Amino acid sequence: MFEVLLDPFQYSFMIRALLVSILVGIMSPIIGSYVITRGLAFMGDALAHAVMPGLIIAFLLGVSPFAGAAPTGVAVAILIGVLTRRTGISEDTTIGIMFAGLFAVGLVLLSLSTNLPINLEDLLLGQVLGVSWLDVYLTLGLCAFVVFLLSVFHKELVFSSFDPLGAKVSGLPTMLLDYLLLVLLALVVIIALQAVGIVLVMAMLVTPSATAYLLVRRLPSVMAVGATLGACSAISGLYLSYYFDIPSGAAMTL
């Protein structure tokens, strides 16, 4: 039994994959609790697709994918918020336009680029088995940053999520809180891309949190249960990927 559990981790790439997978499994449901409360599931999916041009540019420059995806994701999140507020177009319409347009740009860049160390399947399904120690440290740093900001602004974010009008009347800067949540969501999406890829990011954001909502009532409990479920899914998915030779991102999601 112990051999089955320990055998995959005789390889250093599996240890790195495990660390990143656990971080993704914990972080995604925590931010996913706010996503479900505010009905932003489509936003998470859109951000995952919209950062594709940034990822391709990062690979072309030979730098970490975080270096391209992070500024792209943050910029797209803010731009969606600005366009929604200033044009009067509904949020889901704005998200749909950005989603399709930037994903198309990414596909064009990918088709025009040669000798890239990644292909479309890796982008769509993730490449957690190929992460470096630098990626592990960057993932850990981003997770710590997101957790810190969420803990500092938790009460304000909860108030504005459940009662946006009341929060505005009470004097909270609801617009800035909305932008903050969008930026943090973008960072978590970028963290999750390494593990599960573009197609499956929304599942890691939404499924553990939605399951937790069926089991507990209070939001902190939803976060704790969701993070536990997410971490278990990430670890078990990694084992399934190793022993049955299936894509790790898909295995984690299932």
Side-chain angles (χ1 to χ4, degrees), residues 136-149:
V136 174
Y137 298 141
L138 286 172
T139 302
L140 181 60
L142 285 173
C143 284
F145 178 69
V146 171
V147 169
F148 171 73
L149 286 181

Side-chain angles (χ1 to χ4, degrees), residues 166-192:
K168 188 173 183 178
V169 170
S170 69
L172 284 179
T174 53
M175 184 174 69
L176 292 178
L177 289 171
D178 290 344
Y179 284 134
L180 173 64
L181 186 61
L182 289 177
V183 169
L184 294 180
L185 176 58
L187 291 177
V188 172
V189 165
I190 291 158
I191 293 169

Side-chain angles (χ1 to χ4, degrees), residues 49 51-54 56 101-112 123:
H49 287 76
V51 300
M52 190 171 173
I56 301 300
L102 288 173
F103 188 57
V105 171
L107 290 175
V108 170
L109 288 175
L110 185 62
S111 67
L112 295 176
L123 288 171

Side-chain angles (χ1 to χ4, degrees), residues 134-250:
L134 176 61
D135 294 327
V136 174
Y137 298 141
L138 286 172
T139 302
L140 181 60
L142 285 173
C143 284
F145 178 69
V146 171
V147 169
F148 171 73
L149 286 181
L150 286 178
S151 62
V152 170
F153 295 101
H154 174 70
K155 291 182 180 179
E156 291 82 358
L157 287 170
V158 171
F159 190 6
S160 61
S161 294
F162 285 97
D163 187 6
L165 183 60
K168 188 173 183 178
V169 170
S170 69
L172 284 179
T174 53
M175 184 174 69
L176 292 178
L177 289 171
D178 290 344
Y179 284 134
L180 173 64
L181 186 61
L182 289 177
V183 169
L184 294 180
L185 176 58
L187 291 177
V188 172
V189 165
I190 291 158
I191 293 169
L193 279 176
Q194 287 273 75
V196 296
I198 290 172
V199 172
L200 304 173
V201 161
M202 190 168 68
M204 291 296 282
L205 279 172
V206 173
T207 307
S209 302
T211 305
Y213 261 106
L214 299 176
L215 302 175
V216 293
R217 289 290 183 183
R218 298 179 64 250
L219 190 61
S221 301
V222 170
M223 291 179 179
V225 173
T228 302
L229 293 172
C232 291
S233 299
I235 295 169
S236 57
L238 200 60
Y239 275 108
L240 289 172
S241 173
Y242 179 82
Y243 283 110
F244 294 97
D245 193 25
I246 56 178
S248 29

Side-chain angles (χ1 to χ4, degrees), residues 66-107:
F66 287 112
T72 304
V74 170
V76 170
I78 294 174
L79 185 58
I80 289 173
V82 170
L83 288 175
T84 301
R85 289 179 181 274
R86 294 194 176 182
T87 64
I89 299 174
S90 65
E91 188 174 59
D92 60 338
T93 301
T94 306
I95 291 171
I97 293 169
M98 298 294 291
F99 177 141
L102 288 173
F103 188 57
V105 171
L107 290 175

Side-chain angles (χ1 to χ4, degrees), residues 110-132:
L110 185 62
S111 67
L112 295 176
S113 307
T114 56
N115 301 321
L116 278 181
I118 194 170
N119 55 41
L120 183 59
E121 183 179 345
D122 290 333
L123 288 171
L124 295 178
L125 299 179
Q127 50 169 350
V128 69
L129 298 181
V131 298
S132 64

